[in-house]
Amino acid sequence: NIDRSYLFRIFKKHGQTNPQEYITNYRLRKASEMLKNKNNTVEYVALSCGFLSYQSFFRFFKKKYGISPSTYKNKFL
């Protein structure tokens, strides 16, 4: 029950980001950890971390890390 604009101001004041960016970055950090496990598929990681599709996960992951999720996974296996 927090006003949206108030929440945005709090995030900007303390984190230099907005709530959506914070959540996306958190999901991507968790995804990068999960990709290091050989038993997790890229699709499983994407859905487990709250992305609605593999395509959106791929786009966000590549933008943040500069490589595709599958390349990242192969790099650590």
Side-chain angles (χ1 to χ4, degrees), residues 10-37:
I10 291 172
F11 264 80
K12 281 291 190 180
K13 181 179 177 183
H14 296 286
Q16 304 299 325
T17 187
N18 65 50
Q20 185 62 40
E21 288 175 15
Y22 177 83
I23 291 169
T24 300
N25 286 330
Y26 178 81
R27 288 176 176 167
L28 289 170
R29 279 193 312 272
K30 288 298 179 186
S32 69
E33 293 171 14
M34 290 178 72
L35 286 170
K36 293 176 184 177
N37 183 334

Side-chain angles (χ1 to χ4, degrees), residues 46-58:
L47 297 176
S48 295
C49 291
F51 292 91
L52 298 177
S53 69
Y54 172 75
Q55 292 80 11
S56 65
F57 172 63
F58 181 91

Side-chain angles (χ1 to χ4, degrees), residues 1-16:
N1 293 338
I2 296 176
D3 182 60
R4 181 180 180 177
S5 60
Y6 176 68
L7 181 63
F8 269 77
R9 282 195 307 272
I10 291 172
F11 264 80
K12 281 291 190 180
K13 181 179 177 183
H14 296 286
Q16 304 299 325

